[in-house]
């Protein structure tokens, strides 16, 4: 692969990690989040500041996960008191709060100018891509394992009906917080990788549009489906590159995609593929 292909593939892997993290919160546990980009930004700024201080890359990525996950737990506490639309508004507010903080902190966080000249991870572009690919694969494997574990079943119970889950002795608050902690920690990992990839970050990289983009990846791929989310993240990352004319209308296109998917295929591409497969099997059996 050339440099362009390696660069594009690296972005795809970072977005896969991001989308899988949101899928754990919204797809597994049914908690609506419209501020996922804020945790992405927390991870990026944490890793960038530590890199500028001369600390090693692996430690910085772990710190990015810890900081974003810790912030996720704090936000998750709000999910214990609010649901559905109110939770969506709360998480949206967290995103705007994050932007307000980083834009005001000019001396520490660079304000509107962001942080530039971030030291490299110490790997070449190809080696960094391979590392990102491995981390994306491990994230997907962990997500699949989690979905099929007892915790995954508990997440599903909470998503379906919290009151019934409580009657079945499921610790609903603990599982809600766990979902936020895991999902936002993965967003922090993606943010740390992004800061090393771009080596320059600004607040607008982590704004509301980015949150909508991540949500679109999950919804288009199939909320709750790991494989679907991977496809959705890859598709929506590559689409603006293959169709340059839509780059200036990305938010409009994402909004239109969300509308179409929610109207005609609410289970996303994964659900549509499953439906077509079942129909083909029935037709094959009937013949």
């Amino acid at each position: 692969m050339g440099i362009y292909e390696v660069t594009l593939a690296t972005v795809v892997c970072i977005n896969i990690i991001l989308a899988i993290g949101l899928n754990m919160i919204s797809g597994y546990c049914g908690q609506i989040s419209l501020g996922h980009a804020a945790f992405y930004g927390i991870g990026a700024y944490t890793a960038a500041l530590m890199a500028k201080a001369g600390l090693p890359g692996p430690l910085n990525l772990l710190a990015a996960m810890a900081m974003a996950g810790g912030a996720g737990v704090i936000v998750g506490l709000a999910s214990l008191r609010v649901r559905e639309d109110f939770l969506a508004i709360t998480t949206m507010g967290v995103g705007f709060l994050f932007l307000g903080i980083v834009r005001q902190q000019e001396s520490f966080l660079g304000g509107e100018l962001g942080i530039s000249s971030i030291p490299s991870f110490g790997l070449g572009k190809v080696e960094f891509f391979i590392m990102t690919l491995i981390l994306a694969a491990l994230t997907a494997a962990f997500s699949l394992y989690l979905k099929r574990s007892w915790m995954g079943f508990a997440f599903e119970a909470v998503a379906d009906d919290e009151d019934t889950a409580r009657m079945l002795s499921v610790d609903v608050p603990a599982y809600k917080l766990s979902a936020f902690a895991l999902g936002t920690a993965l967003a922090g990992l993606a943010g740390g990788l992004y800061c090393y990839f771009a080596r320059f970050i600004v607040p607008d990289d982590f704004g509301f549009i980015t949150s909508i983009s991540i949500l679109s990846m999950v919804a288009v791929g199939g909320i709750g489906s790991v494989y679907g989310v991977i496809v959705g993240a890859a598709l929506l990352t590559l689409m603006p590159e293959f169709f340059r004319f839509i780059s200036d209308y990305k938010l409009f296109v994402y909004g239109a995609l969300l509308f179409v998917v929610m109207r005609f295929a609410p289970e996303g591409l994964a659900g549509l593929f499953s439906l077509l497969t079942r129909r083909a099997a029935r037709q094959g059996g009937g013949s």
Side-chain angles (χ1 to χ4, degrees), residues 174-213:
Y175 284 108
K176 280 187 174 183
L177 291 178
S178 297
F180 268 97
L182 291 171
T184 55
L186 289 178
L189 172 61
L193 291 170
Y194 176 76
C195 97
Y196 279 112
F197 165 75
R199 300 183 64 184
F200 173 70
I201 56 175
V202 293
D204 286 343
D205 291 336
F206 315 104
F208 183 64
I209 292 177
T210 302
S211 290
I212 294 300
S213 298

Side-chain angles (χ1 to χ4, degrees), residues 19 22-23 26 212-225 228-229 232-233 236 254 257-262 265-271:
L22 180 59
N23 194 44
S26 299
I212 294 300
S213 298
I214 304 167
L215 177 63
S216 299
M217 294 172 189
V218 175
V220 169
I223 189 165
S225 168
V229 166
L236 267 64
Y254 284 3
L257 276 174
L258 277 174
F259 174 79
V260 171
V261 168
M262 292 297 99
E267 295 183 357
L269 294 176

Side-chain angles (χ1 to χ4, degrees), residues 75-111:
V75 175
L77 291 171
S79 74
L80 304 181
R81 294 183 175 272
V82 294
R83 298 186 186 182
E84 300 175 352
D85 295 346
F86 295 102
L87 178 59
I89 294 171
T90 300
T91 54
M92 188 190 305
V94 170
F96 290 127
L97 177 63
F98 169 77
L99 288 180
I101 291 173
V102 295
R103 282 173 173 159
Q104 293 299 319
Q105 293 294 324
E106 294 184 5
S107 59
F108 185 53
L109 300 177

Side-chain angles (χ1 to χ4, degrees), residues 135-160:
L135 289 173
L138 290 174
T139 299
F142 172 71
S143 185
L144 284 169
Y145 169 78
L146 181 67
K147 186 175 184 179
R148 296 165 182 170
S149 69
W150 168 250
M151 179 175 282
F153 293 134
F155 283 163
E156 185 177 356
V158 173
D160 287 343

Side-chain angles (χ1 to χ4, degrees), residues 2-19:
I3 296 299
Y4 173 74
E5 289 79 10
V6 169
T7 299
L8 199 54
T10 303
V11 176
V12 169
C13 290
I14 292 173
N15 285 341
I16 285 173
I17 296 173
L18 257 180

